[in-house]
Amino acid sequence: MNLISREFIRNMAPQLDLLNTLGGGIAQAQMRVDKLKKGVVIRVAAPSVSPENIHVVLNNNRMTVYGEFRHQPEDQLGAPLFTRILDLPANLDLSRIDAIHENNELQVRIPYLDPSSQQREIEIKQR
């Protein structure tokens, strides 16, 4: 005899994460960094968080990915759900960063810098 249905559990899981964060805890999203030939892909899995509530902020070489919960979209105050901070290496082209959300996963794609643009000879001026 099942006292609790699977559908009830599936619908309650996101609410439990929210209650945990409101109670002072934090729900950590799963993060994975894949190094590819042309760059890196940072994957953040947060299935219970809608794409509108996930944010990516780049400050110099530090990238912050965070999720928040707002009861209504127009609410001024949001409850934090998760925060992940990454210090990015200097060989990434941060001017060409992009992000896409599909299949309950955020993918932040950052290409490598062109190696020919990294090294250059500096002209020495004479006075």
Side-chain angles (χ1 to χ4, degrees):
M1 175 178 201
N2 289 339
L3 297 176
I4 300 175
S5 70
R6 287 181 188 215
E7 184 177 341
F8 175 77
I9 293 172
R10 193 174 319 119
N11 291 332
M12 279 303 295
Q15 307 307 324
L16 293 175
D17 272 347
L18 174 62
L19 291 173
N20 179 42
T21 58
L22 291 177
I26 187 164
Q28 283 298 323
Q30 292 182 344
M31 180 180 279
R32 185 177 88 212
V33 178
D34 294 334
K35 295 179 184 179
L36 306 174
K37 229 178 189 179
K38 294 184 178 185
V40 296
V41 177
I42 301 163
R43 301 175 187 274
V44 180
S48 62
V49 183
S50 67
E52 304 84 40
N53 294 335
I54 299 176
H55 305 277
V56 179
V57 178
L58 188 63
N59 185 8
N60 295 324
N61 278 22
R62 178 168 282 184
M63 186 179 75
T64 303
V65 179
Y66 68 94
E68 62 183 359
F69 174 79
R70 293 180 187 271
H71 196 327
Q72 299 292 330
E74 63 274 359
D75 285 350
Q76 298 251 335
L77 184 62
L81 292 175
F82 69 88
T83 301
R84 299 297 301 258
I85 299 172
L86 275 146
D87 289 322
L88 302 173
N91 67 336
L92 297 177
D93 189 352
L94 301 181
S95 66
R96 295 182 23 216
I97 189 171
D98 75 330
I100 187 168
H101 190 279
E102 63 181 355
N103 299 326
N104 291 322
E105 181 181 74
L106 171 71
Q107 295 179 14
V108 180
R109 299 176 296 205
I110 312 170
Y112 292 121
L113 283 171
D114 181 12
S116 64
S117 69
Q118 289 182 320
Q119 182 178 348
R120 63 186 178 111
E121 187 172 345
I122 307 299
E123 180 184 339
I124 300 173
K125 297 178 184 173
Q126 294 183 20
R127 292 186 182 194

